[in-house]
Amino acid sequence: MASGPGQSRDRATIIDVAAAAGVSRQTVSNALNNPDRVAPGTLMRVHREIERLGFSPNAAAQQLRRRKASAYGFEVNPSGAGKMGHILDGFLVELTVAAPDHSCHLVTFAPNLSRLLDGYDRILSTGLVDGFVLGDTRHDDPRPAWLLANEVPFVTFGRIWDNPEMGRWVDVDGRAGMEVAVEHLVAQGYTAIAYLGWPDGSPVGDDRRRGWLSGLADAGLADTAIAEEAVQDLTVATAAAERLLDRLPSGGAILCASDLLALGALRAVRNHGLEPGRDVGVVGFDDSDVAEALQLTSLRQPLQDAAAEAWRIVHAKGTDLSLTALLAPTLTVRASTTPTPQSPNESPTQSPNQSPVHPPRRPPLGRTAYPSLEEQQ
Amino acid sequence: MASGPGQSRDRATIIDVAAAAGVSRQTVSNALNNPDRVAPGTLMRVHREIERLGFSPNAAAQQLRRRKASAYGFEVNPSGAGKMGHILDGFLVELTVAAPDHSCHLVTFAPNLSRLLDGYDRILSTGLVDGFVLGDTRHDDPRPAWLLANEVPFVTFGRIWDNPEMGRWVDVDGRAGMEVAVEHLVAQGYTAIAYLGWPDGSPVGDDRRRGWLSGLADAGLADTAIAEEAVQDLTVATAAAERLLDRLPSGGAILCASDLLALGALRAVRNHGLEPGRDVGVVGFDDSDVAEALQLTSLRQPLQDAAAEAWRIVHAKGTDLSLTALLAPTLTVRASTTPTPQSPNESPTQSPNQSPVHPPRRPPLGRTAYPSLEEQQ
DNA sequence: CAGGCTAGTTGGAACGTTCAAATCATGCCA
DNA sequence: TGGCATGATTTGAACGTTCCAACTAGCCTG
């Protein structure tokens, strides 16, 4: 217990480096922040000492002097974590991965449920963060307006449908994704493409439905348009899919607004004694773990790109409301839209800019720790 | 654009409060950090001014002076986020929710994959965090030893099986969970309880298997012990479950090491023309979203308790290696272990200390934003 | 009534960095 | 050679808080 816990081990400061390199502290600071102001020889000497002493500038001192935390808040919500297609977990990861490129970091916080903005105000007023990434948007969401009024930098993941004027969002183009899915289904030889979606009135659902319709029109299949509605519940979805199958001609496919609805469709198909893919195509949305497990073709949100765009927007100076990014999802093709049996390898159309560290087929389990343990033993 | 972005709006400082209350800055500091040293009347006056001016102490200044960030690093890994049963997402959320109780916060960071410890060293040497919560543990994990050697506070989620002496972990008692599951199955009237687990050699898998065996012994059913093995893959699991079903007497049940294996078991049961629950009981592990969707009885990890214990351990002074917490999972009972059909409402044995904000049945979708939109419209 | 003790309060200093302005060579041109 | 711009470097001050030691007034004790 030489030095006790905490950051007590006395780390080298900028002054130690300065003394070692025989310059003043400001020159060391300049060597790091404004290298062009420092003579080449000096620069080299300083950097050698920085290396030798293992110096890293103290974040708190920088924050204090610069009056800027270089940190952004990310609200995590207990109600959705780990749930099927809870895309936010992945978004948070990609934001974290990309954060060092913008020399900043993320601080998680939980919302104050009774007074929503309080949580934001508290973490902001301590100067712990400079702004926020809003991982979701609610109906009548008070946050964007509040943040704008207080000139707090932010970006939202998901369009602010309530108010089209409100920029500063990143979103995935569900409509374009659906069009790609229709195109794929047609190319695979399916001759009629039905739609299993959510009831009218949800902006995202309506957007996806429009994509289906325009995809059909582009393919000259507008006359095959039949659809059913279901809320996000497996039993309801299965029943709706059953009704759809009764009307769907042979050689048809079902395009679904979510992986859960697609799961219902898969069940209905099997209940009819049919084989997904061979007899009826099924496509889901979000490329969740379930989609992978059940060999369900699904649209994958380009989270890595979304994270990069989010950083770009949140860092933009001023309160420019025209900063938006609409990204196209990519289709992960699996057996559920492959009429002829094929080896179940990875999708050929998978996003090329996927994280390179993503192993091709790492079976996840109860806890990530253990698959790797098994595999290594 | 009066003041530009960032934390530029001039916030009240401790000196403003001091002036307003007619005391010195140190007295204001004492009022917040050592109220017992301040006279009651003064204390009230100071607090009134704090309230009136909306003062919050600047985090960076505190960190700098106290030489302590009150922040902990949490490594997020791109390879697992959002995957089935990727329990870490939920753990991160619960840690975040509990963080304010310990007046600290979490900073996420991504690992340096080539030189694992570099990422830890960097974030630590800037003083951005005081320690770490290791969300997973790998085989031959170098991190605990390194952190100990450097006297960095930490806690791991998951026992360090490689080295039983290495304390400072929180974990879920898979063995006890399995015993509870066996007890439940017996109570439901299942007369033989088979096991579908991972191949020998994974500590977690072996632990769960032992729980099954001791549960059987307690129930006097040791002679019914039959088991099959499968890696974490749906096709393999289904095949293994098929073999198991060939040997399983009528009125039996299958206890599985994971929800994915249980998913395979469900498929095998249906392939045999049987009905899960009514004909064959099936139990999974992790209570993932899939378990909920498929009405699969499953063991749920007590993440909220785990988070509380983790904070307790990481905050403990010194390098005491005896700090551990082993928590029992709870069983969420669904149709897959209910022989007689019943209304598909929530489990009666669900964890009582579940987050109160968790709505009883909020169907999550592609993005959390939109179900709420639908529901509200 | 000197001396000491306690509760309450205060001012100086420090945490480690960057901003802003000052200093100091150096070279160029008139 | 004096004046002046230029580049490189240094010094003083500040960011907002807490640690530490000092100070005061009041009260008790011998």
Side-chain angles (χ1 to χ4, degrees):
Chain A
M1 227 119 336
S3 50
Q7 54 180 244
S8 39
R9 184 176 348 288
D10 284 340
R11 299 219 154 253
T13 75
I14 208 172
I15 297 187
D16 300 326
V17 176
V23 295
S24 72
R25 57 178 203 285
Q26 184 62 32
T27 298
V28 178
S29 177
N30 285 337
L32 290 169
N33 303 316
N34 301 89
D36 51 318
R37 289 188 197 161
V38 179
T42 315
L43 193 60
M44 234 182 55
R45 225 166 54 247
V46 169
H47 272 117
R48 186 169 49 234
E49 293 305 322
I50 287 177
E51 196 73 21
R52 195 173 65 79
L53 297 172
F55 165 77
S56 326
N58 180 284
Q62 287 183 321
Q63 289 177 26
L64 178 58
R65 180 64 249 220
R66 291 176 170 162
R67 325 198 84 209
K68 169 170 161 175
S70 294
Y72 293 85
F74 187 94
E75 177 189 309
V76 297
N77 199 309
S79 66
K83 293 293 196 155
M84 169 152 34
H86 187 69
I87 211 73
L88 281 183
D89 301 328
F91 186 54
L92 171 59
V93 171
E94 294 300 342
L95 279 174
T96 301
V97 169
D101 298 341
H102 300 262
S103 48
C104 64
H105 60 271
L106 278 181
V107 173
T108 62
F109 70 104
N112 181 334
L113 289 158
S114 46
R115 302 174 43 75
L116 186 61
L117 295 174
D118 272 11
Y120 287 80
D121 197 25
R122 238 204 337 267
I123 192 175
L124 188 66
S125 64
T126 62
L128 200 56
V129 300
D130 299 325
F132 297 93
V133 180
L134 306 185
D136 56 353
T137 46
R138 304 160 172 73
H139 187 56
D140 271 334
D141 198 322
R143 298 173 300 169
W146 183 82
L147 293 168
L148 269 180
N150 290 68
E151 295 180 33
V152 179
F154 75 98
V155 62
T156 70
F157 184 45
R159 273 162 276 190
I160 301 163
W161 296 92
D162 289 346
N163 182 359
E165 317 263 307
M166 182 74 77
R168 301 199 149 253
W169 51 257
V170 176
D171 205 354
V172 172
D173 194 341
R175 178 171 175 162
M178 286 307 194
E179 290 174 357
V180 168
V182 169
E183 196 177 346
H184 160 74
L185 287 169
V186 170
Q188 290 284 25
Y190 298 100
T191 52
I193 296 162
Y195 185 74
L196 178 55
W198 299 315
D200 273 358
S202 97
V204 175
D206 296 348
D207 185 52
R208 295 183 183 176
R209 179 190 305 265
R210 276 192 296 272
W212 163 65
L213 281 172
S214 60
L216 277 190
D218 290 350
L221 289 174
D223 54 329
T224 74
I226 61 173
E228 284 285 344
E229 293 181 353
V231 296
Q232 187 75 352
D233 176 276
L234 184 61
T235 311
V236 177
T238 307
E242 303 264 12
R243 293 194 302 274
L244 211 47
L245 282 174
D246 291 338
R247 300 158 57 198
L248 187 69
S250 156
I254 304 178
L255 185 55
C256 307
S258 75
D259 277 352
L260 185 63
L261 294 184
L263 184 50
L266 287 177
R267 300 195 113 190
V269 167
R270 289 195 198 279
N271 286 350
H272 271 61
L274 301 173
E275 175 74 15
R278 191 194 61 192
D279 304 318
V280 181
V282 179
V283 176
F285 202 112
D286 264 351
D287 201 11
S288 62
D289 49 338
V290 194
E292 187 184 347
L294 299 179
Q295 285 297 302
L296 170 69
T297 293
S298 187
L299 285 157
R300 167 186 285 259
Q301 305 204 23
L303 293 182
Q304 198 171 351
D305 296 343
E309 289 296 327
W311 281 125
R312 192 178 60 75
I313 290 173
V314 83
H315 272 118
K317 299 291 171 196
T319 53
D320 185 355
L321 286 185
S322 67
L323 295 165
T324 62
L326 190 57
L327 305 168
T330 59
L331 192 70
T332 301
V333 177
R334 297 205 182 82
S336 76
T337 59
T338 310
T340 53
Q342 67 173 25
S343 60
N345 49 8
E346 287 295 302
S347 151
T349 60
Q350 197 160 17
S351 171
N353 55 7
Q354 188 147 349
S355 173
V357 299
H358 202 331
R361 181 166 276 273
R362 183 172 187 271
L365 352 160
R367 181 168 307 155
T368 30
Y370 311 128
S372 53
L373 275 172
E374 287 170 73
E375 286 163 26
Q376 291 177 19
Q377 282 175 350
Chain B
M1 228 117 336
S3 50
Q7 53 179 247
S8 40
R9 183 176 349 289
D10 283 341
R11 300 215 153 258
T13 74
I14 208 172
I15 297 189
D16 300 327
V17 176
V23 295
S24 73
R25 55 179 205 291
Q26 184 60 35
T27 298
V28 178
S29 178
N30 284 338
L32 290 169
N33 302 314
N34 302 90
D36 52 318
R37 292 188 196 160
V38 178
T42 315
L43 193 60
M44 234 181 54
R45 225 166 52 247
V46 169
H47 272 117
R48 185 168 50 233
E49 293 305 323
I50 288 177
E51 196 73 22
R52 195 173 64 79
L53 297 173
F55 165 77
S56 324
N58 180 285
Q62 288 183 321
Q63 289 178 26
L64 179 58
R65 180 65 252 217
R66 291 175 169 164
R67 324 197 86 213
K68 169 170 161 177
S70 294
Y72 293 84
F74 187 94
E75 176 189 309
V76 297
N77 199 309
S79 65
K83 295 293 196 149
M84 168 152 36
H86 187 71
I87 212 75
L88 282 183
D89 301 328
F91 186 53
L92 171 59
V93 170
E94 294 300 343
L95 279 174
T96 301
V97 169
D101 298 342
H102 301 263
S103 46
C104 62
H105 60 272
L106 277 182
V107 173
T108 63
F109 71 104
N112 180 334
L113 290 159
S114 48
R115 302 173 44 74
L116 186 61
L117 295 174
D118 273 11
Y120 286 81
D121 198 23
R122 236 200 342 266
I123 192 176
L124 188 66
S125 64
T126 62
L128 199 58
V129 301
D130 299 326
F132 296 93
V133 180
L134 306 185
D136 55 353
T137 47
R138 304 159 173 75
H139 186 56
D140 271 333
D141 199 323
R143 298 173 299 171
W146 183 82
L147 293 168
L148 269 180
N150 290 69
E151 295 181 32
V152 179
F154 74 99
V155 63
T156 71
F157 184 45
R159 272 162 278 189
I160 301 165
W161 296 91
D162 289 346
N163 182 359
E165 316 264 304
M166 181 75 75
R168 299 196 152 257
W169 51 257
V170 176
D171 206 354
V172 173
D173 194 341
R175 178 173 175 158
M178 286 307 194
E179 290 173 356
V180 168
V182 169
E183 196 177 346
H184 160 73
L185 287 169
V186 169
Q188 291 284 26
Y190 299 100
T191 52
I193 296 162
Y195 186 73
L196 178 56
W198 298 316
D200 272 0
S202 98
V204 175
D206 296 350
D207 186 53
R208 293 182 186 177
R209 180 192 305 266
R210 277 193 294 274
W212 162 63
L213 281 172
S214 61
L216 277 191
D218 290 352
L221 290 175
D223 53 330
T224 73
I226 61 173
E228 284 284 345
E229 293 181 352
V231 295
Q232 188 75 352
D233 175 276
L234 184 60
T235 311
V236 177
T238 308
E242 303 265 9
R243 293 196 302 274
L244 211 47
L245 281 174
D246 292 337
R247 301 157 58 197
L248 188 69
S250 154
I254 303 178
L255 185 54
C256 305
S258 76
D259 277 352
L260 184 63
L261 294 185
L263 183 50
L266 288 177
R267 300 193 113 191
V269 167
R270 289 195 198 279
N271 287 350
H272 271 59
L274 301 171
E275 173 75 15
R278 191 194 62 193
D279 304 316
V280 181
V282 179
V283 176
F285 202 111
D286 262 354
D287 201 9
S288 62
D289 50 339
V290 193
E292 186 183 347
L294 298 178
Q295 285 298 301
L296 170 69
T297 293
S298 189
L299 285 157
R300 168 187 283 261
Q301 305 204 24
L303 293 183
Q304 197 170 351
D305 297 342
E309 290 295 328
W311 281 125
R312 193 178 59 76
I313 289 173
V314 82
H315 271 119
K317 298 292 173 195
T319 53
D320 186 354
L321 286 185
S322 67
L323 295 165
T324 62
L326 189 58
L327 306 168
T330 58
L331 193 70
T332 302
V333 177
R334 298 204 181 83
S336 77
T337 58
T338 312
T340 53
Q342 70 173 23
S343 60
N345 50 5
E346 287 296 304
S347 149
T349 61
Q350 197 161 17
S351 170
N353 56 5
Q354 190 148 348
S355 172
V357 299
H358 200 334
R361 182 167 275 272
R362 183 172 186 269
L365 354 159
R367 182 166 307 156
T368 29
Y370 310 130
S372 55
L373 275 173
E374 287 170 72
E375 287 165 23
Q376 291 178 18
Q377 282 175 350

